[in-house]
Amino acid sequence: MAMQVMVGMALMASLPLCAQTAGQVEPAAGTWKTWVISSGKDFRVPAPPDAAETKRELEWLKSIEGTRSDPQIARQIAFWDAGSPAYRWMDLISKRILDGRPVTAYAHRVQAYVAMAMYDATIATWDSKYAYNRLRPSDIDPALRTAVSTPRSPSYPSEYSASAAAAAAVLSYFIPQEAQAFQLLAEEAGKSRLYAGTEFPSDYTAGMDLGRKVAALVIERARADGSAAVWTGTVPTGKCMWIGANPLFIAAANWKPILLTSPNEFRPAAPPACDSPDVTQQMADVRAYSRTFLSNLKAYYWQGPEGLQTWPLVFADKWMYEDKLDQNPPRAARVYALIGASYFDSFIASQDGKFAYWYIRPHQLDSSMIPLFAVPNFPAYPSNHSTFSATRAEILAYLFPERADLIRAVGKEAGDSRIWAGFHFEMDNQAGVQLGRAVAAKFIEWANRDNSQP
């Protein structure tokens, strides 16, 4: 113990000290390509406090060690330590979707922008971390007890605060009536690292400031994506045309994509005439499909909120925990951002196809065809579900290649379920799969050039 105290005193005398990059988490992540901000370097925070101020902050951290006996503080520390800094925020969105709580008319849009904001904030954080290489509090003074494992990365600025501030600000933009609650949650997330003893107060404040600056640009981009536009056209009529009024998602065909050059970059070829031999056979196949309890069960699952929105995060979270990526904030944030951003563009691309062709649904072509449940109020071709599921399955296969076969099978089941439910032709499904894979390929190409490769 005497030796430990002597070492701590010697280290204190030479504050601030720099961490060594050997064995550290992603020392080069600050150079990774970002989604919205120009670069991590362009958002570098001011230098951390000097040795004297660092010493005062260290003494303050030691003075609050006793607060961990408070059950509420202990719960907060454990709650935010459950995964990467981005985990609880993505989970918050998922839970709102599953519980039917407000996430705007386009839940995937919220997922995408929050994920991109946290990723960009994390990359900017990592640039500053390794520019300054500030040691963690317990690395400076081993006498400081921590409530959780000390992260293997420099302390300044706080990755938890930056992610939390970015997420809370973007969520407040989408759900302004809950802005105060999101801000309080962000403060709790950041301060949990102070109570845990793994960060300095100045790490917290610098991280919060950085996260807000990143979020401001993400919100600016969200405002300009065209999602506020209102469709004022008319539904076309005629042979093989969808029959209905007030179609959902039609304005999304003209949103601004994230990576696609335009909504129609990968538009599927026109479908065949609905009285062609090919479609006549496909109609017969839909009618002849023999539904079972299991196929019905799966069809209902894929129509539910998890099947429509959150299933990729279920797999991603599980696999990140298994692979210990939850201990690697830049890699974890990259997973969430690629899933969310690619889904955003595949949504736009699918609506472009639907409202380019306005193709009829099976039950509209043959009124004797009774779907398993209510049919979505928009045209058939291509299948939204097949498009989205193929995109996200391919992104997950790219991120977790050893599980590629498994997740592609999951994506295929999602698309097939729409035929089992009786409201898509096989050509809708196949066009969606091809479209979804094309969108995913564009994002994978981007990811292969994002500087994250070892």
Side-chain angles (χ1 to χ4, degrees):
M1 177 63 71
M3 178 60 71
Q4 185 182 55
V5 172
M6 290 176 63
V7 170
M9 292 176 63
L11 289 171
M12 189 76 75
S14 59
L15 288 174
L17 291 173
C18 294
Q20 300 297 313
T21 59
Q24 296 283 299
V25 174
E26 305 291 353
T31 68
W32 292 3
K33 190 184 299 184
T34 46
W35 291 100
V36 177
I37 67 174
S38 52
S39 71
K41 184 177 181 180
D42 289 344
F43 282 72
R44 185 172 295 173
V45 298
D50 61 17
E53 180 59 28
T54 297
K55 183 178 179 180
R56 285 190 287 271
E57 290 189 2
L58 191 54
E59 290 304 314
W60 181 82
L61 288 175
K62 293 168 73 173
S63 74
I64 66 168
E65 284 185 19
T67 61
R68 298 171 196 159
S69 60
D70 183 327
Q72 181 177 353
I73 290 177
R75 282 194 298 270
Q76 289 176 1
I77 293 172
F79 179 84
W80 292 105
D81 198 56
S84 71
Y87 164 66
R88 287 297 187 184
W89 295 97
M90 297 307 296
D91 191 53
L92 178 153
I93 298 170
S94 292
K95 286 180 177 177
R96 292 181 75 97
I97 293 169
L98 296 174
D99 293 344
R101 299 179 64 197
V103 281
T104 79
Y106 302 103
H108 73 284
R109 189 166 170 261
V110 180
Q111 290 174 318
Y113 284 115
V114 169
M116 289 191 295
M118 290 193 292
Y119 172 86
D120 280 11
T122 300
I123 299 311
T125 297
W126 245 248
D127 168 82
S128 291
K129 280 184 180 293
Y130 287 95
Y132 300 120
N133 275 316
R134 188 187 205 185
L135 285 169
R136 295 279 178 172
S138 61
D139 291 330
I140 293 175
D141 185 356
L144 175 68
R145 295 181 296 109
T146 61
V148 299
S149 298
T150 301
R152 294 180 298 104
S153 60
S155 190
Y156 180 86
S158 165
E159 63 270 31
Y160 273 85
S161 296
S163 292
V170 176
L171 282 168
S172 297
Y173 164 70
F174 284 114
I175 313 170
Q177 66 272 23
E178 297 183 45
Q180 183 178 8
F182 293 136
Q183 177 59 33
L184 291 174
L185 201 60
E187 293 172 5
E188 177 189 298
K191 289 177 180 178
S192 74
R193 301 304 92 186
L194 303 182
Y195 291 123
T198 60
E199 294 176 357
F200 291 101
S202 53
D203 301 339
Y204 163 81
T205 55
M208 294 291 284
D209 184 57
L210 174 58
R212 293 188 190 106
K213 288 179 179 177
V214 170
L217 288 188
V218 173
I219 292 168
E220 184 180 322
R221 177 162 184 159
R223 285 197 175 105
D225 69 7
S227 61
V230 177
W231 183 67
T232 58
T234 57
V235 176
T237 59
K239 176 184 170 184
C240 302
M241 290 290 190
W242 176 77
I243 302 166
N246 303 316
L248 294 173
F249 309 148
I250 185 168
N254 294 305
W255 289 3
K256 181 180 179 181
I258 293 167
L259 285 188
L260 298 189
T261 57
S262 66
N264 67 357
E265 181 177 356
F266 299 116
R267 181 183 291 174
C274 58
D275 57 359
S276 66
D278 183 11
V279 177
T280 299
Q281 181 58 56
Q282 290 193 43
M283 184 71 246
D285 293 340
V286 175
R287 280 196 304 267
Y289 181 78
S290 180
R291 294 173 184 158
T292 66
F293 175 83
L294 183 59
S295 70
N296 288 351
L297 178 65
K298 290 182 176 180
Y300 274 107
Y301 167 78
W302 288 112
Q303 181 62 14
E306 184 172 297
L308 288 171
Q309 297 284 357
T310 66
W311 67 268
L313 298 181
V314 173
F315 285 97
D317 287 336
K318 178 177 184 293
W319 293 341
M320 282 195 282
Y321 291 136
E322 291 175 355
D323 296 348
K324 309 303 181 185
L325 284 185
D326 60 306
Q327 300 170 23
N328 188 322
R331 294 282 169 189
R334 181 174 180 263
V335 169
Y336 293 132
L338 280 169
I339 292 171
S342 63
Y343 182 15
F344 184 89
D345 275 17
S346 69
F347 183 88
I348 296 171
S350 191
Q351 308 325 307
D352 168 79
K354 283 186 180 295
F355 296 106
Y357 301 119
W358 291 90
Y359 203 76
I360 196 167
R361 293 272 186 176
H363 75 288
Q364 296 175 335
L365 185 60
D366 180 354
S367 59
S368 70
M369 175 69 227
I370 301 175
L372 182 61
F373 42 75
V375 179
N377 192 44
F378 42 71
Y381 180 90
S383 163
N384 267 350
H385 220 314
S386 299
T387 305
F388 308 157
S389 299
T391 294
R392 293 180 288 179
E394 288 301 313
I395 292 294
L396 286 168
Y398 164 75
L399 292 166
F400 303 96
E402 68 280 10
R403 286 103 165 181
D405 290 344
L406 185 157
I407 202 62
R408 284 179 175 133
V410 171
K412 182 179 185 303
E413 179 183 281
D416 290 348
S417 74
R418 315 310 267 179
I419 297 174
W420 305 341
F423 50 79
H424 269 303
F425 299 108
E426 178 60 25
M427 64 183 182
D428 305 338
N429 181 25
Q430 291 304 316
V433 169
Q434 292 173 18
L435 177 57
R437 288 175 178 169
V439 172
K442 184 125 188 179
F443 279 81
I444 291 169
E445 179 185 9
W446 186 94
N448 281 330
R449 295 182 285 104
D450 68 0
N451 298 326
S452 71
Q453 287 64 38

